[in-house]
Amino acid sequence: MFEDIIHKTAAWLRGDGTEPAVVVSSRVRLARNIQNILYPNKGSAQEMEDAREFVHSALRKENMLAKGIYVQSEDMTELDRRFLIERHLISPEFRATKPSRGIYLSNDEDISIMINEEDHIRIQSLTSGLNIHRAMEIAEEVDDTLGNTLAYDYDTDYGFLTSCPTNCGTGMRASVLIHLPGLVLTHEIDKVIEEITKVGLAVRGFYGEGTEVLGNLFQISNQTTLGRREKDITDSLEQITRQLIEHEENARRILVRDAPDEIKDKIWRAYGILKYARVLTSEETMNLLSAVRLGMALGVLDMIPLTLLNEILVQAQPAHIQKVAGKNVSPSERDAKRAELIRARLSELK
Amino acid sequence: MFEDIIHKTAAWLRGDGTEPAVVVSSRVRLARNIQNILYPNKGSAQEMEDAREFVHSALRKENMLAKGIYVQSEDMTELDRRFLIERHLISPEFRATKPSRGIYLSNDEDISIMINEEDHIRIQSLTSGLNIHRAMEIAEEVDDTLGNTLAYDYDTDYGFLTSCPTNCGTGMRASVLIHLPGLVLTHEIDKVIEEITKVGLAVRGFYGEGTEVLGNLFQISNQTTLGRREKDITDSLEQITRQLIEHEENARRILVRDAPDEIKDKIWRAYGILKYARVLTSEETMNLLSAVRLGMALGVLDMIPLTLLNEILVQAQPAHIQKVAGKNVSPSERDAKRAELIRARLSELK
């Protein structure tokens, strides 16, 4: 399964959009539920099956199956699910095997829909760079399209109703995946995270809620969904992201001013190791890619297109390595294969 | 001083001779004193000056000045002396400023003579690879040549007399500089050193007596000088060196068998870091060069001629960096210049 997308470059990895050197991607997700069917975890097996079939019919009827694929959870292996998490197309929570789940993925991977995760429907749109409003447009379009066929559970006071009350109202979460090596290296990151949290945003790891920060990549998202309009949420996230970018750029200037040799050394060594290592763990790879990404932004390196860096970031993950190998591979074999893949990708350059 | 030899490749760095991938060089030194003059540390200022003038005359008379240079200690700076220690041409002990010292260096740097170190005369010959007998021949030739003019202090019972009684007899010390990364990585080195010490040899660091081991390079030398003929000493050192090489090669086979990816990784990373780093300390450089040397011997790398590796080993040392810069340079500047030098040298390849 998904063999055709392994080597494809998802739209959000193209390194375009605003500020793509700092903001890797922008994401919007909408939580929706169908009227008169109990929500996942509460509904019966039959209800879950019904909910999935309703969504599937809507996808078919609205002609979305022509622009993407629909896959039922029972047709996916554990490896497939980890693969989709690594591509940021499904949530880590969706890794669990539960009956009557399903996903829809657009060909460009800019749209994904999880069926029967925490809610009946989770629409996600993912764009490259700082592009929250565009992500919002795409998600709303999908929302409207499905809404033609499906009757969403909606309350005039509470807005869209969701499994977890914290998602009520807009049912929306907007987030950016942002690269903050400067703030990490200058030890300012904790202070900055504290500030961000105070203004009602959440700071999370590479794969979202409950995951660790890897390669200095942070996910920043709104917490409040109730009592605010969608545009207020995206505007405020965008504004704070721009402030974060400014902080980050300031930190980078300080690094370059105070320790130019050390910072260049760190960047060039990272490049040298990626280029020649024979064994690379996931975590080390993320850290080395972070240094190289910083190097590109500072103009220390100039030979690696952002798209290639983003592609490697995704392809070097464990499930991707195994999907390419076509089998489960032990961690140590994986580290060798990862190094091999990265050498091959970097040798494409000039 | 010595500006003309900074960029020259000393004969012992050429990577020829027997087993040059394991044995970097072979060295013989002979201690001699002149009759009827008190030895250094005991003699008067005038006697030391006389001793130096006797040796200088002999060098002139025997036409050795046409094939090398003679320099008096008062014409050398502290940096010059450290530079000569790094080239293995004088002993660390000779770094001290004492009156009436002098040195002779042949153009190829295969012969050096220290005047008024611990003895009036210390003849050293240095050859590439495992080549103790050739080193002995060269040293004996110089010994005979100087002996035409000078009357050595010699006793029919004790042989050549020396400042320190442990050097009496032949006055000879033979040594090899040997690269033992396999024994270090397999943690067998301590056992092997113990064995070697038991059979009467000494194991020392990179710059000889009282210096630390750098880059897995060990100096093995005879301890006994009295009651044995020169050929017995060199034969026994050669024999033990051959056993050491066998041990080392065995250790390398074990490494390659048990951890092929890890060992390749270590080697390729070392190459990548040397090639791209912007800051390199002396010690790290020695360790990286050691990994690359091992890589060449194992056939993991094939692009770096042994001569180039040997040259870098010498040129990357602190006093060399400063001689090239033409001034004293702070340690952190030195680390940047060292990285720059190594990048330049490696970029000469293909």
Side-chain angles (χ1 to χ4, degrees):
Chain A
M1 190 64 75
F2 307 118
E3 268 65 24
D4 43 333
I5 67 169
I6 294 174
H7 300 286
K8 260 179 50 181
T9 304
W12 67 279
L13 296 173
R14 282 189 199 132
D16 46 26
T18 315
E19 307 278 4
V22 183
V23 181
V24 177
S25 60
S26 302
R27 194 174 71 99
V28 163
R29 73 111 168 95
L30 302 173
R32 298 290 183 259
N33 286 285
I34 301 168
Q35 276 180 9
N36 305 320
I37 303 179
L38 279 178
Y39 298 177
N41 301 327
K42 294 283 178 187
S44 66
Q46 186 55 52
E47 280 177 305
M48 291 307 92
E49 191 52 41
D50 288 348
R52 177 165 75 172
E53 210 26 66
F54 276 127
V55 179
H56 187 200
S57 306
L59 290 167
R60 198 166 37 217
K61 204 171 144 211
E62 299 299 334
N63 212 26
M64 287 180 69
L65 295 183
K67 292 171 281 183
I69 55 168
Y70 167 81
V71 184
Q72 307 203 127
S73 49
E74 51 271 43
D75 297 328
M76 282 186 264
T77 62
E78 156 76 9
L79 182 59
D80 288 330
R81 287 190 297 270
R82 284 190 282 130
F83 171 75
L84 295 176
I85 293 169
E86 289 179 357
R87 289 184 90 78
H88 290 229
L89 293 171
I90 64 174
S91 63
E93 203 281 311
F94 212 62
R95 181 170 164 185
T97 321
K98 292 193 180 167
S100 301
R101 287 182 156 186
I103 53 158
Y104 169 82
L105 307 175
S106 70
N107 292 330
D108 248 8
E109 300 177 49
D110 56 342
I111 300 163
S112 71
I113 301 171
M114 287 184 286
I115 305 168
N116 289 333
E117 198 233 34
E118 195 180 285
D119 297 295
H120 290 143
I121 301 166
R122 286 276 175 107
I123 298 165
Q124 172 186 278
S125 85
L126 205 51
T127 56
S128 175
L130 176 55
N131 225 340
I132 309 167
H133 291 104
R134 178 68 194 130
M136 187 65 214
E137 279 170 22
I138 296 171
E140 280 178 331
E141 209 182 296
V142 176
D143 185 36
D144 293 345
T145 303
L146 291 181
N148 290 336
T149 304
L150 300 171
Y152 295 138
D153 222 354
Y154 186 85
D155 179 278
T156 41
D157 283 338
Y158 291 108
F160 292 102
L161 299 176
T162 53
S163 250
C164 178
T166 59
N167 285 317
C168 270
T170 57
M172 172 194 178
R173 178 154 286 163
S175 67
V176 292
L177 185 63
I178 188 166
H179 187 228
L180 303 175
L183 291 171
V184 171
L185 289 170
T186 55
H187 307 290
E188 287 184 69
I189 191 70
D190 290 343
K191 204 180 64 196
V192 168
I193 287 178
E194 205 183 306
E195 293 296 320
I196 290 174
T197 311
K198 270 189 204 154
V199 297
L201 296 182
V203 181
R204 303 199 157 108
F206 185 60
Y207 299 112
E209 200 160 345
T211 67
E212 69 178 316
V213 173
L214 291 168
N216 302 317
L217 289 165
F218 296 81
Q219 222 177 82
I220 315 288
S221 61
N222 67 304
Q223 293 276 51
T224 326
T225 54
L226 187 63
R228 295 177 74 194
R229 284 178 312 171
E230 283 83 350
K231 191 158 183 323
D232 293 343
I233 295 170
T234 52
D235 280 355
S236 122
L237 179 63
E238 168 137 3
Q239 192 202 335
I240 286 162
T241 304
R242 289 200 181 273
Q243 285 171 19
L244 252 183
I245 293 172
E246 218 169 281
H247 276 303
E248 170 63 19
E249 283 176 347
N250 215 23
R252 292 180 184 184
R253 269 190 293 274
I254 289 167
L255 283 174
V256 169
R257 187 195 64 199
D258 294 351
D261 279 344
E262 284 67 18
I263 204 78
K264 278 185 209 159
D265 187 55
K266 188 181 164 65
I267 290 163
W268 277 105
R269 278 174 188 244
Y271 176 68
I273 292 172
L274 284 172
K275 193 163 159 158
Y276 290 113
R278 261 52 187 172
V279 179
L280 283 168
T281 64
S282 249
E283 195 179 335
E284 186 185 14
T285 301
M286 296 285 277
N287 289 330
L288 296 171
L289 288 173
S290 172
V292 168
R293 186 179 295 269
L294 176 63
M296 296 298 297
L298 295 179
V300 172
L301 302 181
D302 63 359
M303 69 295 241
I304 310 178
L306 215 42
T307 326
L308 180 58
L309 262 190
N310 287 342
E311 284 174 3
I312 294 175
L313 189 71
V314 169
Q315 292 170 352
Q317 295 172 100
H320 272 73
I321 301 284
Q322 295 182 83
K323 286 293 282 184
V324 170
K327 59 175 182 189
N328 280 309
V329 171
S330 74
S332 70
E333 262 183 281
R334 219 144 68 200
D335 293 346
K337 281 183 184 296
R338 178 175 297 112
E340 194 182 325
L341 165 91
I342 293 172
R343 286 202 308 283
R345 294 300 324 255
L346 291 180
S347 73
E348 289 167 19
L349 300 169
K350 77 165 176 153
Chain B
M1 192 61 75
F2 307 119
E3 268 65 24
D4 45 332
I5 67 169
I6 294 173
H7 300 285
K8 259 179 52 182
T9 305
W12 68 278
L13 295 173
R14 283 189 199 132
D16 47 24
T18 314
E19 307 278 4
V22 183
V23 181
V24 177
S25 60
S26 303
R27 194 174 71 100
V28 163
R29 72 109 170 97
L30 302 173
R32 298 289 183 260
N33 286 284
I34 302 168
Q35 276 182 11
N36 303 322
I37 303 181
L38 278 179
Y39 298 176
N41 302 324
K42 294 282 179 188
S44 66
Q46 186 55 51
E47 278 176 306
M48 291 307 92
E49 190 53 40
D50 288 349
R52 177 163 76 171
E53 210 27 66
F54 276 127
V55 179
H56 186 200
S57 306
L59 289 168
R60 197 166 38 219
K61 203 170 144 213
E62 299 300 334
N63 212 25
M64 287 180 70
L65 295 183
K67 294 171 280 182
I69 54 167
Y70 167 79
V71 184
Q72 307 204 129
S73 49
E74 51 270 43
D75 297 326
M76 282 186 264
T77 63
E78 156 76 9
L79 182 59
D80 287 331
R81 287 190 295 272
R82 283 190 282 130
F83 170 77
L84 295 176
I85 292 170
E86 288 179 358
R87 289 184 89 79
H88 290 228
L89 293 171
I90 64 174
S91 63
E93 203 280 311
F94 212 62
R95 181 169 163 186
T97 321
K98 291 194 181 166
S100 302
R101 287 182 157 186
I103 54 158
Y104 168 83
L105 308 175
S106 69
N107 293 330
D108 248 8
E109 300 177 51
D110 57 340
I111 300 162
S112 71
I113 302 171
M114 287 185 286
I115 305 168
N116 289 334
E117 198 233 33
E118 195 179 286
D119 296 295
H120 290 144
I121 302 166
R122 285 276 175 109
I123 298 165
Q124 172 187 278
S125 84
L126 205 51
T127 58
S128 175
L130 177 54
N131 226 340
I132 310 165
H133 292 104
R134 178 68 195 130
M136 187 65 214
E137 279 172 21
I138 296 170
E140 281 179 330
E141 210 182 296
V142 175
D143 185 36
D144 292 346
T145 304
L146 292 180
N148 290 336
T149 304
L150 298 171
Y152 295 138
D153 222 354
Y154 186 86
D155 179 276
T156 42
D157 283 337
Y158 291 108
F160 292 103
L161 298 176
T162 53
S163 250
C164 178
T166 60
N167 285 317
C168 271
T170 56
M172 173 195 179
R173 177 153 287 163
S175 68
V176 292
L177 185 63
I178 188 165
H179 187 228
L180 304 174
L183 292 171
V184 171
L185 288 169
T186 55
H187 307 290
E188 285 184 71
I189 191 71
D190 290 343
K191 206 181 63 197
V192 168
I193 287 178
E194 205 183 307
E195 292 296 319
I196 290 174
T197 312
K198 270 188 202 153
V199 297
L201 295 182
V203 181
R204 303 199 156 109
F206 186 60
Y207 299 112
E209 200 160 345
T211 68
E212 69 177 317
V213 173
L214 291 168
N216 302 317
L217 289 165
F218 297 80
Q219 221 177 84
I220 316 287
S221 61
N222 68 304
Q223 293 275 51
T224 327
T225 54
L226 187 63
R228 296 177 73 194
R229 283 177 313 170
E230 283 84 349
K231 189 154 184 327
D232 294 342
I233 295 170
T234 53
D235 280 355
S236 124
L237 179 63
E238 168 135 3
Q239 192 201 336
I240 286 163
T241 303
R242 290 200 180 274
Q243 284 172 19
L244 252 184
I245 294 171
E246 218 169 282
H247 276 303
E248 170 63 19
E249 283 175 348
N250 215 23
R252 292 178 184 186
R253 271 190 293 274
I254 289 167
L255 283 175
V256 169
R257 188 195 63 198
D258 294 350
D261 280 344
E262 284 67 17
I263 203 80
K264 278 184 209 158
D265 187 55
K266 188 180 163 64
I267 290 163
W268 278 105
R269 279 175 188 242
Y271 176 67
I273 293 172
L274 284 172
K275 192 162 160 159
Y276 291 113
R278 261 52 188 172
V279 179
L280 282 168
T281 64
S282 249
E283 195 180 334
E284 186 185 13
T285 301
M286 295 285 277
N287 289 331
L288 296 172
L289 289 173
S290 172
V292 168
R293 186 179 295 269
L294 176 62
M296 296 297 299
L298 294 178
V300 171
L301 302 182
D302 63 359
M303 69 294 242
I304 311 178
L306 216 44
T307 325
L308 180 58
L309 262 191
N310 288 342
E311 284 174 3
I312 294 175
L313 189 71
V314 169
Q315 293 170 351
Q317 296 172 100
H320 273 73
I321 301 285
Q322 296 182 85
K323 286 294 282 184
V324 170
K327 58 175 183 190
N328 279 310
V329 172
S330 75
S332 70
E333 261 183 280
R334 219 144 68 199
D335 293 347
K337 280 183 184 297
R338 179 175 297 114
E340 193 183 328
L341 165 91
I342 292 172
R343 286 202 307 285
R345 295 300 324 254
L346 291 180
S347 74
E348 289 168 19
L349 299 170
K350 79 166 172 136

